Amino acid sequence: MLISTKSGAPEKDRNGPVSAADVMGRAVPHDQTWARSEPTTKAGTASCIGSDMSIVGKIDCNGPAQVFGRIKGEVRASDLQISDGAQVEGNVIAQTVTVCGRVKGTIRADRVKLQNGGAVEGDIFHRTLSIDENSQFEGSSRRVENPTDPSASVDAKGPQKKDVTPAPLPSIDAELMDAPKH
């Protein structure tokens, strides 16, 4: 429904239906598909997990990602920011990881930053690690050459303990029986 205004330019009814083009303030091509097989990221944009979202499972993002909600599972991205209030329980693998929220699990990244009260409970495999004074870290950190490669972190731990079962000791009774009798 159109309503005319004093200027003579038509104005849409505010209570009427609204299209995506109206909300965005620009035209949306009709041939645009909402689900694409490969996500495209532009400079300055990132995939987001909203604060009202909770996800269980593996997340694999080809570009940068920001987490505001909760994730239980593995998260992979090129650059990952875990924002204030966000929680990740599971492994995190990225080139750069910035933690302002909470992570409980292993982080594997070239650059890891704990900022603005971020907290990590678990192991961190990295090339560089920075921890702000307000942040918390409970676990172990290892500087490794290739932290995003899971086999590199196993090698970094050093030689693995082998399950060694001690050899049985000879029985005292057997020694007494074999001893020469006088």
Side-chain angles (χ1 to χ4, degrees):
M1 168 189 264
L2 295 179
I3 300 173
S4 50
T5 62
K6 289 184 180 181
S7 67
E11 182 181 303
K12 283 199 169 198
D13 182 3
R14 290 189 178 137
N15 296 327
V18 179
S19 71
D22 294 333
V23 172
M24 300 298 289
R26 57 186 163 87
V28 177
H30 292 287
D31 60 348
Q32 180 180 9
T33 55
W34 290 103
R36 295 185 180 188
S37 60
E38 296 219 358
T40 58
T41 57
K42 298 176 184 174
T45 61
S47 297
C48 291
I49 308 289
S51 60
D52 57 345
M53 292 180 71
S54 182
I55 296 176
V56 176
K58 182 178 178 181
I59 298 171
D60 198 352
C61 182
N62 291 333
Q66 285 185 293
V67 178
F68 296 97
R70 293 179 170 197
I71 297 174
K72 188 172 185 177
E74 183 176 289
V75 182
R76 289 178 180 259
S78 63
D79 298 315
L80 182 65
Q81 179 167 346
I82 300 162
S83 300
D84 187 23
Q87 295 180 357
V88 175
E89 187 176 332
N91 295 336
V92 173
I93 302 167
Q95 294 301 310
T96 302
V97 175
T98 303
V99 181
C100 300
R102 297 193 167 283
V103 174
K104 186 175 182 179
T106 300
I107 297 176
R108 291 176 172 46
D110 287 336
R111 290 177 302 282
V112 179
K113 302 177 208 172
L114 275 64
Q115 297 179 331
N116 303 328
V120 173
E121 183 182 331
D123 297 337
I124 300 176
F125 298 95
H126 60 87
R127 277 199 205 163
T128 62
L129 172 63
S130 66
I131 304 173
D132 284 355
E133 64 181 275
N134 294 333
S135 298
Q136 299 174 355
F137 172 45
E138 185 175 328
S140 65
S141 72
R142 292 218 186 262
R143 187 189 181 292
V144 293
E145 198 58 38
N146 199 0
T148 56
D149 181 14
S151 64
S153 57
V154 171
D155 295 341
K157 290 182 180 177
Q160 300 294 315
K161 292 182 182 178
K162 293 181 181 177
D163 186 23
V164 178
T165 306
L169 297 173
S171 167
I172 294 176
D173 292 337
E175 288 179 13
L176 292 175
M177 293 175 116
D178 292 340
K181 295 182 181 177
H182 299 146

